[in-house]
């Protein structure tokens, strides 16, 4: 977008949002300071966070707080619940009446109403959410086996394409010929007495690059002895030398890997174990990768150096095994004749070229299945809600994001946060963080790195535009190459990301750059951008025409970043992330980034509601306090100091056990000690599990209402139970 009234393009976006919000206030007869805005942020954490945030929002509704919220910012799992709220506020209640933010017309349940004694199906949506927490396997044929089957399908298609591409490459290499295999591999000399390395161009190249490395290193060292003073050319030469050393080392490794394939193949062929070895390398790497992933999830923390190294070794073993398998396939075809030569080669060309270019990877990856199941659970058709039965969500499937947040409920204005993957960016900040915050909202989509474009015009040439379910699924794309929570984790590793791409293990989404106008129709496929930008690298940067988006939690898991950008007066953050050790990693990440980017400081200096009060074992010394590791309270208050001199208040609600919870919550805690920080990998919640998190969220939200902080925000101090 271009708006010369604002020097910062983002300010034009914010101005348009505020105009939209002020219209909503006028329509709802809400009296507030014109220049003071409020926001509610729902964190990532999958179905766990969605259930917890559901309870918090129910409490805020009963306290008259939700109707005072101007913004709704969501990331990942918080986007499940946030999108459901946005959908029903726009769509209306199942009985056809208008939905709102009062206890009487709120979509997610009303006080004193149970599933068996409803009047007019008043709790139907809440009951539907309770019964469909296992959204990835909702039933009617879509069970856990079908989920596994679809996952294997995505891996199979991707492997078929990339293995065929690799086999064709190996076939071309053998045909040139560059690699020779008619030598006694265990010996270092060929039969004619020449060194083995001279009969293998790639091994020769590896030796040459290693030689360049050492010669360059010696020359560099000798030049440092020359008495020429500190001339500018010496400084430039040192920088050039460091770059050259890195290039030589990379080329040497790549050449050595390719050159080793015929050597290993012939050695194994003599032992009749060539195919077994390729499979063994792949299998060993798979087992190591599984163990690394299992250990990460069991510890519920980001992987350390040891586990990152395990993941790296696993990825290298799998990739090498696949390359060796591709070389074996190419060699078998090369040494065949007739149909045994033509048919396999034609099949490889078909799989690599035709399937590689024609298949839309946004539709065959895990993203599409994930998007559809989320849509059916959180934005269902009214008929599905009325019958409390799973069914296709045909209405939401057509619901465009640009049509959300319209009268009679323009507010809260919904911002879905995603991460723009920028691991190859020339801007060090984006490259170091692994991306930039990319928003999707009813008015604008974009980021600082790319600029913004009006949602009503975005992607109209290549599709009908962004739908609400698609934006929800992108915001929750937790598994993706080159991305990790808060930008830190083993999946940021280059080799691990390549493996993820080869196996098509991605929930993310390829999208056109909003900052490049005049983009033509595109179909993201396995070749471009799959091969060119993901596998070969150097393509994940902000100036490319095609970009990759992943989970909002890969940049800011709290959804706080964009709220601080908008300089809100009051922000309520619901943190339902997995943080069993209470390291507050998501909070710390957000605080650091808003300080660096916006000059805003968030200080937990409130003596009445300190951050220490949410820590386990801070409640006291009673027997139940010790048994359940109870905290004094479930929220803390911080002051926000903006760069322009303005101030605000942050209410931070953290999933933690406190006193006076219902007995069923304590019972669930006893049976499940990791509650309320069970692993995010668990996306199959039953009614009991959802209720435990929802009830905890409701009670912690109630604590905020009773404290009446900040003053004047709460309408009713004593909320009604749901």
């Amino acid at each position: 977008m271009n708006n010369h009234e604002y020097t910062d393009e983002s300010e034009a976006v914010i101005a348009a949002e505020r105009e939209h919000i002020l219209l909503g206030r006028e329509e709802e007869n809400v009296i507030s300071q014109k220049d003071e805005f409020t926001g509610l942020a729902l964190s990532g954490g999958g179905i766990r966070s969605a259930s917890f945030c559901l309870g918090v929002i129910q409490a805020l509704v009963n306290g008259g707080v939700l109707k005072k919220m101007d913004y709704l910012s969501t990331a990942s799992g918080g986007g499940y619940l946030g999108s459901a709220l946005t959908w029903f506020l726009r769509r209306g209640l199942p009985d056809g009446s208008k939905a709102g933010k009062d206890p009487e017309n709120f979509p997610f349940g009303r006080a004193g109403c149970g599933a068996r004694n409803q009047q007019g199906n008043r709790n139907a949506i809440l009951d539907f959410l309770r019964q469909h927490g296992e959204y990835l396997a909702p039933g009617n044929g879509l069970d856990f086996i079908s989920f596994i089957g679809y996952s294997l399908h995505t891996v199979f298609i991707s492997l078929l394409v990339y293995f065929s591409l690799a086999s064709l490459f190996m076939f071309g290499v053998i045909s040139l010929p560059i690699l020779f295999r008619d030598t006694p591999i265990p010996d270092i000399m060929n039969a004619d007495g020449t060194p083995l390395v001279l009969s293998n161009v790639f091994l020769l190249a590896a030796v040459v690059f290693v030689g360049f490395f050492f010669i360059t290193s010696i020359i560099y060292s000798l030049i440092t002895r020359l008495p020429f003073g500190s001339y500018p050319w010496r400084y430039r030469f040192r920088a050039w030398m460091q770059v050259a050393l890195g290039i030589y080392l990379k080329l040497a490794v790549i050449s050595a890997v390719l050159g080793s394939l015929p050597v290993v193949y012939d050695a194994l062929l003599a032992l009749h174990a060539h195919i077994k070895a390729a499979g063994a390398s792949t299998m060993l790497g798979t087992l190591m990768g599984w163990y690394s992933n299992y250990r990460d999830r069991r510890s519920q923390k980001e992987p350390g150096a040891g586990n990152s190294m395990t993941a790296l070794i696993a990825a290298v073993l799998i990739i090498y095994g696949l390359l060796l398998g591709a070389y074996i396939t190419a060699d078998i075809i090369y040494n065949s004749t007739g149909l045994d030569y033509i048919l396999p080669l034609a099949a490889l060309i078909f799989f690599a070229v035709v399937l590689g270019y024609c298949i839309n990877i946004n539709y065959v990856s895990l993203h599409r299945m994930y998007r559809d199941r989320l849509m059916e659970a959180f934005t269902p058709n009214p008929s599905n809600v009325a019958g409390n039965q799973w069914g296709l969500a045909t209405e939401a499937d057509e619901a465009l994001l640009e049509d959300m947040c319209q009268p009679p409920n323009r507010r809260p204005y919904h911002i879905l946060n995603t991460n723009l993957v920028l691991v190859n960016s020339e801007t060090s900040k984006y490259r170091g963080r692994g991306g930039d915050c990319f928003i999707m909202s009813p008015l604008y989509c974009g980021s600082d790195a790319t600029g913004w474009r009006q949602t009503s015009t975005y992607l109209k040439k290549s599709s009908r535009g962004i739908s609400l379910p698609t934006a929800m699924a992108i915001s929750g794309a937790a598994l993706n190459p080159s991305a990790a929570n808060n930008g830190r984790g083993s999946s940021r590793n280059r080799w691990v990301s390549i493996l993820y791409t080869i196996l098509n293990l991605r929930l993310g989404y390829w999208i056109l750059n909003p900052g490049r106008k005049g983009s033509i129709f595109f179909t993201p496929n396995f070749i471009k951008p799959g091969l060119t930008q993901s596998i070969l690298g150097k393509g994940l940067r902000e100036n490319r025409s095609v970009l990759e988006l992943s989970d909002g939690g890969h940049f800011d898991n709290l959804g706080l970043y964009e709220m601080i950008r908008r300089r809100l007066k009051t922000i309520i953050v619901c943190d339902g992330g997995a943080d069993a050790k209470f390291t507050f990693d998501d909070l710390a990440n957000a605080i650091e980034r808003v300080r660096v980017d916006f000059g805003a400081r968030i200080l937990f200096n409130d003596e009445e509601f300190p951050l220490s009060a949410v820590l386990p074992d801070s409640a006291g010394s009673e027997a139940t306090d010790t048994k359940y590791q109870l905290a004094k309270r479930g929220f803390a208050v911080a002051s926000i100091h903006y760069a322009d001199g303005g101030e605000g208040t942050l209410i931070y609600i953290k999933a933690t056990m406190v006193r006076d919870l219902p007995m069923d919550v304590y019972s669930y805690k006893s049976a499940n000690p990791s509650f309320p920080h069970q692993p995010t990998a668990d996306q199959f919640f039953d009614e009991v599990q959802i209720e435990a998190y929802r009830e905890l969220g409701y009670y912690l939200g109630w604590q905020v209402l009773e404290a009446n902080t900040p003053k004047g925000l709460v309408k009713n101090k004593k909320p009604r139970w749901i």
Side-chain angles (χ1 to χ4, degrees), residues 308-465:
S308 296
M309 183 57 68
T310 303
L312 171 60
I313 295 173
V316 169
L317 285 173
I318 294 174
I319 293 171
Y320 190 83
L322 293 173
L323 285 175
L324 183 58
Y327 181 82
I328 293 171
T329 301
D331 179 75
I332 292 174
I333 296 175
Y334 180 76
N335 289 290
S336 301
T337 57
L339 291 179
D340 290 339
Y341 176 90
I342 296 174
L343 291 180
L345 187 59
L348 289 181
I349 295 174
F350 174 80
F351 294 143
V353 179
V354 178
L355 294 186
Y357 271 110
C358 294
I359 294 178
N360 188 328
I361 56 176
N362 279 341
Y363 285 8
V364 300
S365 69
L366 294 175
H367 162 84
R368 204 63 180 180
M369 180 270 294
Y370 175 61
R371 178 255 192 199
D372 290 346
R373 300 293 85 78
L374 281 176
M375 176 177 67
E376 293 149 6
F378 290 94
T379 57
N381 282 359
S383 58
N384 302 334
V385 174
N388 202 0
Q389 294 292 328
W390 173 87
L392 298 178
T394 54
E395 291 189 21
D397 188 45
E398 301 294 326
L400 294 179
L401 182 59
E402 65 199 65
D403 294 329
M404 299 299 110
C405 300
Q406 298 298 327
N409 293 296
R410 292 180 187 266
R411 305 162 51 254
Y413 180 79
H414 193 179
I415 294 176
L416 293 106
N417 297 277
T418 74
N419 175 60
L420 172 60
V421 182
L422 298 175
V423 294
N424 304 131
S425 173
E426 294 180 357
T427 302
S428 57
K429 179 175 71 172
Y430 299 144
R431 185 174 63 252
R433 293 174 174 179
D436 189 28
C437 187
F438 188 104
I439 68 166
M440 293 184 171
S441 72
L443 293 180
Y444 286 96
C445 294
S447 68
D448 280 319
T450 61
W452 287 263
R453 186 176 295 189
Q454 288 185 336
T455 307
S456 59
T457 63
Y458 187 36
L459 299 179
K460 294 300 185 179
K461 293 184 179 180
S462 61
S463 69
R464 59 190 178 88

Side-chain angles (χ1 to χ4, degrees), residues 76 80 147 151 154-155 293 297 365-367 369-370 421 473-485 490-492 496-497 499-501 503-509 548-554 680-681 683:
S76 196
Y80 303 174
F147 167 73
S151 301
T154 64
V155 172
N293 182 266
R297 291 179 175 178
S365 69
L366 294 175
H367 162 84
M369 180 270 294
Y370 175 61
V421 182
I474 296 172
S475 180
L479 177 67
N480 206 71
S482 303
N485 191 57
S490 59
S491 52
R492 279 284 308 275
V496 175
S497 295
L499 178 61
Y500 278 15
T501 301
L503 300 179
N504 204 15
L505 296 178
R506 66 169 73 243
L507 291 173
Y509 196 81
E548 185 174 24
L549 301 181
S550 68
D551 194 299
H554 294 159
T680 306
Q683 291 294 293

Side-chain angles (χ1 to χ4, degrees), residues 586-615:
D586 291 338
L587 179 62
N589 174 72
I591 289 175
E592 185 269 337
R593 292 191 174 179
V594 301
R595 183 176 65 244
V596 170
D597 289 359
F598 307 128
R601 293 187 174 271
I602 299 176
L603 304 176
F604 282 89
N605 51 6
D606 191 294
E607 295 182 359
E608 185 178 3
F609 304 110
L611 189 60
S612 59
V614 306
L615 294 173

